[in-house]
Amino acid sequence: MSHKVVLAFLLAAAAPARAVTSVVLLPATGANVHEGHLTAATDVLRAHLERTGKLAVTVAPVPGGLRAEPSPLEAAQAARAGGAELAVTLRIARLGNVASVRLAAYRQDGSAAHVDELGAAGPDDLDAALRRLAAGLAEGRPAHALAEIDTVTEREADPYLKYVATNVFGIRLGSAFLMNRASPAGTSHSAAGGGVFWLYDARSFLADLSFDLYGGDADRLVALGIGFYRPFSKGNVSPYLGGGVAYHWLQTGGDGAAGLAFRAAGGVLVGRLSTVQVRVEAGWQVSAFTEKVHEASPVTPHGPFATVGLGY
């Protein structure tokens, strides 16, 4: 025998044996579940527990089926009676198309050593859920963190339900009062016009996309904006406050300029519960850029605006 073989034999003999925990498995109990599924779940869970290599499993000769889940004291008594370190209970409860699969392990004194739970969409999900629950008990980790490509449940794969946001398209008319104009320097002038908007209602907040055109004399303003608002009523008439940002192309007698502008606005939405809505809004907008003026200092136009819109 070569010295390498002898060395490998000595190392193997010196390595400590892997600790194995003795557990007694109580038959599965459940609510609104076929008793045959509970019996099969007990057998499948036992196989998965043994497959971990860390647990020595025996099944307790106690009744399972459609009955109450064993209490911690009852589980502790089963552990003592079976001479096991832990007693494992399995509870499957179904409500509609969703089932809850709960595994708990108790020590001989009735204290909980491990409690875990996974959801299942149906009987086909049980094997994957039981496999992960067994691995979680053996490794002392939550089952939801042990998903693998072949143990993701249908319940986990289902997309989350979300609120449906309604939206309306609208046309509006209004006026923007431009202050601190380029020419004559520092003067104010109103520009009339209108535009279109898409208003999205997500219940707890409103959001809109808008495109507006204003003009008057030497003034030109084109605005592409986005806004967010908080409604103060869930009724058919809903006041709101908010603000947003827009990209402005404007000319107020100078060289013209383009850039971002910030808006603060408030209004009233009439017909929020209807397919036809009236939207009255007023606010203030401030440019975050300047417009150059020949032989003069650049100016920063700003000012109030007001609109009336019809959405449908």
Side-chain angles (χ1 to χ4, degrees):
M1 181 180 298
S2 69
H3 67 280
K4 292 183 179 180
V5 175
V6 173
L7 180 60
F9 177 80
L10 292 175
L11 290 175
R18 181 167 55 178
V20 176
T21 302
S22 60
V23 301
V24 57
L25 175 60
L26 281 68
T29 62
N32 200 25
V33 181
H34 192 280
E35 290 203 49
H37 292 157
L38 295 175
T39 302
T42 303
D43 294 339
V44 172
L45 178 59
R46 176 178 184 176
H48 286 314
L49 290 171
E50 291 175 338
R51 196 171 291 121
T52 65
K54 298 180 180 181
L55 304 170
V57 186
T58 59
V59 178
V62 295
L66 299 176
R67 57 185 295 270
E69 182 180 12
S71 67
L73 293 180
E74 292 173 330
Q77 183 179 1
R80 292 193 297 269
E85 298 175 56
L86 299 175
V88 177
T89 65
L90 178 65
R91 178 75 175 178
I92 303 175
R94 183 172 66 85
L95 183 62
N97 296 324
V98 178
S100 169
V101 186
R102 180 179 184 272
L103 180 146
Y106 300 95
R107 303 181 182 91
Q108 291 190 2
D109 61 1
S111 61
H114 183 85
V115 179
D116 205 353
E117 185 176 355
L118 277 180
D124 293 339
D125 264 356
L126 285 179
D127 180 65
L130 293 173
R131 177 176 164 183
R132 285 165 56 183
L133 288 168
L137 174 60
E139 299 179 20
R141 299 172 58 192
H144 70 81
L146 298 174
E148 296 179 343
I149 192 67
D150 57 346
T151 59
V152 175
T153 65
E154 182 181 345
R155 173 66 175 165
E156 292 171 319
D158 286 341
Y160 290 110
L161 298 178
K162 294 187 176 182
Y163 293 119
V164 177
T166 60
N167 70 89
V168 298
F169 170 79
I171 299 174
R172 63 186 180 188
L173 300 175
S175 177
F177 193 71
L178 300 175
M179 304 172 65
N180 196 30
R181 296 171 62 251
S183 180
T187 59
S188 302
H189 193 274
S190 64
V196 296
F197 65 87
W198 290 263
L199 179 66
Y200 296 85
D201 189 339
R203 296 175 174 83
S204 60
F205 71 93
L206 305 172
D208 73 349
L209 299 172
S210 61
F211 180 76
D212 298 286
L213 298 170
Y214 296 97
D217 295 337
D219 296 326
R220 298 290 184 272
L221 172 60
V222 180
L224 177 63
I226 181 171
F228 303 93
Y229 314 93
R230 179 185 176 186
F232 294 98
S233 169
K234 295 183 179 180
N236 204 41
V237 178
S238 180
Y240 63 86
L241 284 175
V245 63
Y247 193 85
H248 280 186
W249 295 267
L250 64 79
Q251 185 174 28
T252 62
D255 296 339
L260 293 179
F262 298 98
R263 297 173 172 175
V268 178
L269 192 61
V270 181
R272 186 181 181 190
L273 309 182
S274 172
T275 56
V276 177
Q277 302 175 358
V278 175
R279 182 184 181 187
V280 181
E281 184 175 286
W284 198 281
Q285 52 192 359
V286 178
S287 301
F289 58 94
T290 60
E291 182 182 4
K292 293 182 180 180
V293 186
H294 294 297
E295 300 179 355
S297 300
V299 297
T300 303
H302 59 86
F305 63 90
T307 62
V308 177
L310 179 67
Y312 55 92

